[in-house]
Amino acid sequence: MMNYFYVPLLILAFFSLTQAEKHEIEYGIEDISGPFVKYTVHIVNAITPKPGSPILQFHCQSNDDDLGVKFPKPGEDFNWSFRENLIGSTLFFCSFNRGQQSASFDVFNHDLDDQCKQCYWLVKEDGFYFSDSTKLYQKRYNWK
Ligand SMILES: *[C@@H]1O[C@H](CO)[C@@H](O)[C@H](O)[C@H]1NC(C)=O
């Protein structure tokens, strides 16, 4: 015989297990609903195109989500949205490549002080610039 005391606990446990790991990822203007704060990360190819200059590619992942390898055109804004998971440990990292240059860092880290709802990264010839609005960019990383 089922003890009804456990039903809410079972539902909560099931919800945690299914929600805590993977994020529901949306691209562009699609709207994901849910009880947690929604974040959007933008990665903008701001490299001035020149004939023969190496193309940019990047690969973004969380521990549980793989967004695939991207080849953004100059000026293109690759963006995705997600909601914080129950355990609040969301972290997305990307590795970038351009010719002989590479870089790899966290583009969204829930545990950082400077959290953003709209997180913008500009990829330029000389490195990577971050902004939590579209206005003030600060250089954060260099190519290696
Ligand atoms: C975000 O990505 C979508 C494609 O998924 C694109 O149509 C849109 O322009 C991008 N957002 C911005 C602000 O450029």
Side-chain angles (χ1 to χ4, degrees):
M1 172 134 169
M2 188 76 178
N3 184 335
Y4 286 102
F5 175 77
Y6 292 108
V7 170
L9 286 179
L10 283 175
I11 291 172
L12 187 65
F14 176 76
F15 199 75
S16 312
L17 284 174
T18 53
Q19 295 297 304
E21 302 298 328
K22 254 187 167 329
H23 299 90
E24 190 181 356
I25 307 254
E26 296 288 351
Y27 299 99
I29 56 164
E30 290 175 279
D31 199 21
I32 46 172
S33 58
F36 300 105
V37 181
K38 180 180 171 180
Y39 300 95
T40 304
V41 178
H42 300 256
I43 298 182
V44 181
N45 180 355
I47 294 172
T48 309
K50 292 197 184 93
S53 70
I55 59 160
L56 171 67
Q57 76 172 64
F58 59 78
H59 186 187
C60 300
Q61 300 170 78
S62 73
N63 287 333
D64 309 289
D65 311 282
D66 188 337
L67 305 187
V69 179
K70 303 293 166 189
F71 301 89
K73 295 184 178 64
E76 191 174 323
D77 174 330
F78 174 72
N79 56 82
W80 70 98
S81 304
F82 52 93
R83 287 179 186 272
E84 196 54 84
N85 61 29
L86 268 189
I87 47 176
S89 61
T90 303
L91 188 152
F92 279 91
F93 52 94
C94 302
S95 50
F96 298 83
N97 283 285
R98 183 171 181 255
Q100 302 299 308
Q101 296 180 301
S102 64
S104 192
F105 54 86
D106 295 347
V107 294
F108 181 89
N109 186 340
H110 177 267
D111 297 330
L112 289 186
D113 298 332
D114 53 351
Q115 272 192 48
C116 47
K117 299 254 159 49
Q118 294 281 333
C119 320
Y120 281 86
W121 289 95
L122 286 188
V123 184
K124 295 195 179 187
E125 286 83 350
D126 68 333
F128 301 84
Y129 293 74
F130 174 78
S131 172
D132 56 7
S133 67
T134 47
K135 293 177 188 111
L136 277 174
Y137 282 93
Q138 282 189 329
K139 190 173 185 185
R140 287 281 178 86
Y141 300 101
N142 286 310
W143 287 101
K144 293 193 175 90

